[in-house]
Amino acid sequence: KAGVTQTPRYLIKTRGQQVTLSCSPISGHRSVSWYQQTPGQGLQFLFEYFSETQRNKGNFPGRFSGRQFSNSRSEMNVSTLELGDSALYLCASSGTSGGYNEQFFGPGTRLTVL
Amino acid sequence: AQSVTQLGSHVSVSEGALVLLRCNYSSSVPPYLFWYVQYPNQGLQLLLKYTSAATLVKGINGFEAEFKKSETSFHLTKPSAHMSDAAEYFCAVTRPNDYKLSFGAGTTVTVRA
C-alpha cells in the first residue's frame, strides 16, 4: 500500500502571497488531519476532515483553511502569508470513522516564507 | 483538554545503554497515548500506542512503554540503544472521538559510540 503523499515537498513564498498544499491519504482512509511543526511552537493541530466534513479545528487564524474532496484527498490553504507561517506542514490519514485508529503521517511540506 | 509534558528536550546515551524518555499526561477522560519518532526531513512514525488494553505496551524497534494511571505517566524505554535510535521522539495524547493529537515538545536523542 502506498503511504501518505504530500505535494510539493518544498515551497518558497513571499509575505502576502497565498499557498495551497496537497495531501493524498492512504487508499481507503477517509480521515485526513493537518499539523504545523515549528521549532518554537512544536507540533500543533490545524484541522481534521472526514468524508468532506471538518470535524475538528485547532486554534489558528482564519487565514488557514482546508477542504477534502470526495476521493479523500485534502488541501490546505494559507492566505496572506506571514514570516511566522514558515514551518513543516504534516498531513496524516486514518482509517476509521470514530474512536481512534492509527494516524499515518506523510513526509511533510516544508514552507519557507521570505 | 488533553496535554502532555516531555521531561528533557535532549537526551544523550551511549550505544548499548538504556534509553528512557519521560512523558506525563493530563486528561479529563481516559486517554489514548502514543509515542512517535521523527528522523530528519521525514514525517512521524508510530512507535507504539496505549488504547486502554494492556498497560505495558511493546512497539517497534525494541521500544516499550508503561501506562501508569496513578503517576499520569507513559515513559518510553529501550534496554539497549543503537546508533539508529538517534532521532526526535514525541509523546502524544488524544481521547476517543476527538480526532486530533496533542503532542509534547519532543525529546532529541543522541547516541554516543
Side-chain angles (χ1 to χ4, degrees):
Chain A
K1 239 181 191 180
V4 177
T5 58
Q6 293 187 244
T7 57
R9 289 293 311 277
Y10 301 91
L11 205 50
I12 299 176
K13 292 286 188 179
T14 57
R15 279 181 298 173
Q17 288 187 310
Q18 75 164 13
V19 67
T20 299
L21 311 182
S22 181
C23 172
S24 292
I26 291 171
S27 177
H29 285 189
R30 295 166 67 188
S31 168
V32 173
S33 301
W34 289 89
Y35 295 83
Q36 181 196 64
Q37 185 177 23
T38 61
Q41 299 299 317
L43 281 154
Q44 295 186 287
F45 171 77
L46 280 156
F47 26 65
E48 188 265 357
Y49 289 88
F50 179 83
S51 293
E52 302 178 68
T53 299
Q54 186 182 89
R55 295 192 297 189
N56 204 346
K57 186 178 188 303
N59 188 26
F60 278 82
R63 300 185 297 108
F64 291 81
S65 62
R67 60 177 176 169
Q68 186 181 35
F69 302 95
S70 58
N71 62 358
S72 295
R73 190 178 69 84
S74 177
E75 289 181 347
M76 66 163 284
N77 183 277
V78 188
S79 62
T80 318
L81 285 165
E82 301 177 359
L83 295 179
D85 297 333
S86 294
L88 180 67
Y89 290 89
L90 293 166
C91 165
S93 75
S94 179
T96 57
S97 61
Y100 180 83
N101 204 20
E102 179 181 346
Q103 292 196 11
F104 294 84
F105 283 81
T109 294
R110 173 79 61 186
L111 172 64
T112 302
V113 182
L114 303 176
Chain B
Q2 300 79 241
S3 66
V4 292
T5 301
Q6 291 183 239
L7 300 175
S9 59
H10 289 88
V11 169
S12 179
V13 298
S14 298
E15 193 173 19
L18 171 72
V19 178
L20 170 60
L21 305 183
R22 300 179 188 275
C23 172
N24 288 89
Y25 71 90
S26 171
S27 178
S28 56
V29 298
Y32 293 161
L33 293 158
F34 311 86
W35 276 99
Y36 284 87
V37 62
Q38 185 177 36
Y39 298 99
N41 298 315
Q42 294 188 25
L44 302 173
Q45 180 183 11
L46 182 68
L47 284 174
L48 47 81
K49 62 184 177 184
Y50 167 78
T51 55
S52 76
T55 57
L56 182 61
V57 181
K58 294 187 183 300
I60 62 171
N61 301 340
F63 285 94
E64 64 179 38
E66 187 172 8
F67 173 73
K68 291 187 176 180
K69 185 178 179 181
S70 60
E71 298 178 9
T72 61
S73 68
F74 190 58
H75 302 333
L76 180 71
T77 61
K78 181 174 180 177
S80 177
H82 190 272
M83 297 299 287
S84 61
D85 295 327
E88 190 161 19
Y89 293 79
F90 294 93
C91 183
V93 65
T94 190
R95 60 183 181 183
N97 300 312
D98 197 24
Y99 315 125
K100 73 173 186 180
L101 291 168
S102 297
F103 287 91
T107 299
T108 300
V109 173
T110 57
V111 182
R112 306 185 303 272

